[in-house]
Amino acid sequence: MAKINLLDVLKHVFRIDLKKLILALATGGVVLSLFNAVIASYQVHREAFIQDTLHANQTYATKLAEVTQLFLQSVNSQLNVSAYHIAENIDDSALINAELDRLLSQTNSFDSLVVVSRAGKIIAVRPELPVIGESISSQQLDKVMLQKPIVLDPFVSPAGNLMISPTYPLFNGHGQYLGFVAGGIYLHGDTILNRLLGRHHYADGSYSYVVDKKQRILYHPDPKRIGEQVSNNTVIERVLNGQAGAMELTNSGGNQMLAGFASIPMTGWGVVSQRPLISILNQLAVTHKSVVYSSVPFTIVILGWVFVAGWLIAKPLALLAKQLATVEKQSVANSGVSAWYYEAANLKYALIQNHRTVRQVIKSLDADRKTDKLTSLHNRLSLDLWLDNTINSKIGFSVLAIDIDHFKSINDSHGHCTGDKVLKELANLMIQNARGDDFCCRIGGEEFLIFMPNQSISQAMATAERLRKLVSNHIMPDGISITVSIGVSTWPNNSMRIDKTIELADRALYQAKRAGRNRSCCLEAA
């Protein structure tokens, strides 16, 4: 019995032959392509998550600033009414106190009210405090001497409370300045302003805070930081200069944050809404794991196919190689097999096929992410990307906001299955009526948008009417007839915010609804 040479066995196992090379290269190509796709997908999604969060934080900060501005304007209107009555009875302390009591009783906007004479002496106060006859600070007196409604900078009240004070001047019937009435709002009190600015709780570490013109924190989820002066903070410096925007930064605690910011014009305060970057990355990691896990079965199938195909491709070449080792050179020349070209061509084919398959999977996933499942129109994510490109290109467009009239009754009478068929059919009519570069999307329920680049408001109205008549004359699935109401607006080359244009189209839509439905209305920016 022949002895087995261990060295020969090892040489046979680790010998580099064509079959192993094909399998190794094909497997490596699939794995590397998948790895590259995963990395690229992660980077793209990371940037998208960050940009979406920055935009959301900026939007939230802007809304918070706008609501606060409206509140302060409302407070100003309340003081205006009281200022009129107080000025008429400036010498009657009983009537002044009655007016202050009335104002305190009808709203919880204020914690206290005072009336101050032209000389800066307190002549009335509610609730009652031992401050009658005392003078306000010279700094505050200088500001109110401007004789116009202002909001005094935050200060510590005689009772030791940090507060702000909206003021309104008093004038008699001859236009003579008599002093001012001021409302005190505690920054720690249970007031509407405190509820607007101070109560925002998030589970992911996000929070909002407010700073005044001196970079002092007025509202913060950590009460210990209220009154603290913050320095060397780029976001605070920008927002106190009246800017609005969003950016990444490292906060005073050393944490990377995604911050959106906006200013309150009436007070010069800044509102900042921010979220920790780590929370975004954690959310992205969970999402990306799901993508990877969902790709594993398909990748295993691809690898199995590669192994089988590689073995089938390599087997005849391996047999031919054995034959070539035993035949004469003349027989090799006459075999007609170009081994190098044959191997390279098949290896390239396998790699291209597998790489193409992985890219198709990614493309399909990306298309699904941007497509409404029911109607196959664009969805909100696709809309955001399209709007970003439109802003950058500065191409003007008109927009149609479309809503099916009485759609709920269709679902109630015929069922949701029929309602879905109607939505699909309407989407088909929209696409048939659209130009090649028009952008059709479904934003929810029975609501749709069509964006038409380089279309004037008159052209858009004509398109809207054509679509409306087409829908009203079209027989929907199950013999149903429907009508639509359409709102039209236009975005003229970056001269206004796009969200305002969409809002105008939405308002025009509801104007059409109120006017009886089955009609088109348009609104243009004032």
Side-chain angles (χ1 to χ4, degrees):
M1 184 175 180
K3 293 183 178 179
I4 298 176
N5 190 320
L6 181 59
L7 183 59
D8 291 340
V9 173
L10 292 176
K11 286 182 179 180
H12 179 76
V13 171
F14 293 101
R15 182 182 62 192
I16 298 176
D17 56 28
L18 181 61
K19 180 164 60 177
K20 292 176 182 176
L21 284 174
I22 289 178
L23 295 178
L25 289 173
T27 302
V30 173
V31 172
L32 288 177
S33 296
L34 180 63
F35 181 76
N36 177 68
V38 169
I39 295 298
S41 175
Y42 180 85
Q43 294 298 331
V44 170
H45 282 88
R46 182 182 187 276
E47 184 64 22
F49 271 48
I50 289 175
Q51 292 303 319
D52 288 347
T53 301
L54 288 172
H55 176 72
N57 285 344
Q58 180 183 351
T59 300
Y60 183 74
T62 300
K63 291 296 183 183
L64 199 57
E66 290 174 352
V67 170
T68 304
Q69 177 82 356
L70 290 173
F71 167 75
L72 292 174
Q73 290 173 348
S74 172
V75 167
N76 183 64
S77 298
Q78 296 175 35
L79 291 176
N80 180 18
V81 174
S82 294
Y84 173 79
H85 294 294
I86 292 172
E88 286 187 332
N89 304 279
I90 193 65
D91 296 322
D92 192 332
S93 60
L95 290 178
I96 292 176
N97 288 333
E99 176 60 25
L100 297 182
D101 288 334
R102 180 198 66 78
L103 182 55
L104 279 178
S105 65
Q106 78 172 19
T107 178
N108 65 343
S109 300
F110 305 104
D111 291 289
S112 62
L113 293 165
V114 297
V115 178
V116 181
S117 69
R118 179 176 182 176
K121 301 288 186 180
I122 298 176
I123 62 176
V125 60
R126 280 293 184 271
E128 293 185 11
L129 292 171
V131 293
I132 301 297
E134 293 188 9
S135 299
I136 66 173
S137 68
S138 58
Q139 183 180 13
Q140 293 176 333
L141 184 60
D142 290 340
K143 290 189 175 182
V144 296
M145 288 303 289
L146 296 174
Q147 300 181 15
K148 62 180 182 179
I150 63 170
V151 178
L152 296 176
D153 292 336
F155 61 94
V156 179
S157 70
N161 295 305
L162 184 64
M163 64 187 300
I164 62 168
S165 184
T167 69
Y168 203 93
L170 303 174
F171 296 97
N172 61 17
H174 302 290
Q176 181 182 5
Y177 177 64
L178 304 177
F180 66 92
V181 58
I185 302 175
Y186 295 153
L187 298 184
H188 295 280
D190 185 22
T191 61
I192 297 176
L193 183 60
N194 188 284
R195 295 173 186 172
L196 288 175
L197 297 178
R199 299 182 182 178
H200 307 281
H201 305 290
Y202 306 92
D204 59 1
S206 301
Y207 63 92
S208 301
Y209 66 91
V210 182
V211 292
D212 68 2
K213 291 182 289 186
K214 297 180 179 179
Q215 299 187 355
R216 288 182 299 178
I217 296 178
L218 302 182
Y219 291 94
H220 195 281
D222 182 1
K224 296 179 181 178
R225 297 198 62 183
I226 295 178
E228 175 185 331
Q229 191 163 18
V230 182
S231 59
N232 299 322
N233 187 306
T234 305
V235 165
I236 292 178
E237 292 172 359
R238 289 188 180 183
V239 75
L240 294 183
N241 284 329
Q243 300 180 31
M247 63 179 294
E248 295 184 46
L249 79 155
T250 302
N251 67 3
S252 57
N255 300 315
Q256 288 184 284
M257 308 295 288
L258 304 176
F261 51 91
S263 61
I264 303 173
M266 192 168 181
T267 61
W269 298 349
V271 179
V272 181
S273 178
Q274 57 188 19
R275 180 179 182 182
L277 177 60
I278 187 64
S279 70
I280 298 293
L281 298 182
N282 289 339
Q283 180 182 351
L284 177 59
V286 173
T287 302
H288 220 62
K289 283 181 181 178
S290 300
V291 174
V292 172
Y293 291 156
S294 64
S295 301
V296 167
F298 188 68
T299 304
I300 293 174
V301 171
I302 292 177
L303 288 175
W305 180 86
V306 168
F307 271 90
V308 172
W311 183 81
L312 293 175
I313 292 171
K315 183 179 178 180
L317 293 178
L319 294 174
L320 180 59
K322 289 181 180 180
Q323 293 177 4
L324 292 175
T326 58
V327 299
E328 296 180 355
K329 294 184 179 179
Q330 185 63 32
S331 299
V332 174
N334 296 331
S335 64
V337 178
S338 179
W340 286 101
Y341 178 80
Y342 182 79
E343 294 172 7
N346 280 276
L347 181 58
K348 180 179 178 181
Y349 175 80
L351 291 173
I352 289 176
Q353 286 296 100
N354 284 280
H355 185 66
R356 183 178 299 164
T357 301
V358 173
R359 291 183 62 184
Q360 287 175 348
V361 170
I362 295 175
K363 184 177 180 181
S364 177
L365 290 174
D366 188 61
D368 289 344
R369 190 170 64 99
K370 299 176 182 178
T371 303
D372 178 62
K373 301 297 182 184
L374 177 63
T375 63
S376 297
L377 298 178
H378 295 284
N379 60 14
R380 283 184 177 271
L381 175 59
S382 184
L383 171 60
D384 291 339
L385 297 174
W386 187 87
L387 289 177
D388 287 342
N389 291 332
T390 301
I391 292 174
N392 293 332
S393 61
K394 298 183 180 180
I395 297 176
F397 63 82
S398 291
V399 57
L400 308 185
I402 304 165
D403 189 89
I404 301 176
D405 297 328
H406 303 298
F407 183 71
K408 183 177 182 299
S409 64
I410 296 176
N411 283 333
D412 292 342
S413 301
H414 302 276
H416 288 277
C417 183
T418 299
D420 289 346
K421 293 179 183 178
V422 170
L423 293 174
K424 291 180 182 178
E425 187 68 16
L426 176 58
N428 291 333
L429 294 178
M430 290 169 55
I431 293 173
Q432 294 170 14
N433 197 56
R435 302 174 304 165
D437 56 349
D438 289 347
F439 185 90
C440 303
C441 66
R442 180 188 179 202
I443 59 173
E446 68 274 21
E447 299 177 8
F448 301 83
L449 293 176
I450 300 179
F451 294 83
M452 299 175 292
N454 296 315
Q455 279 271 50
S456 66
I457 193 73
S458 58
Q459 292 172 322
M461 276 296 293
T463 301
E465 278 296 289
R466 185 167 60 253
L467 176 61
R468 183 186 64 80
K469 293 176 182 177
L470 175 64
V471 173
S472 64
N473 294 327
H474 187 80
I475 302 301
M476 291 291 173
D478 297 343
I480 296 174
S481 296
I482 66 168
T483 61
V484 294
S485 298
I486 304 177
V488 184
S489 184
T490 185
W491 184 70
N493 292 322
N494 215 22
S495 62
M496 68 180 291
R497 286 167 45 184
I498 282 183
D499 58 343
K500 294 296 183 183
T501 300
I502 298 174
E503 181 182 338
L504 281 176
D506 195 56
R507 287 166 51 191
L509 168 63
Y510 282 97
Q511 182 176 317
K513 292 279 189 181
R514 289 192 296 270
R517 295 182 171 82
N518 191 23
R519 65 189 62 215
S520 303
C521 292
C522 68
L523 285 177
E524 296 186 77

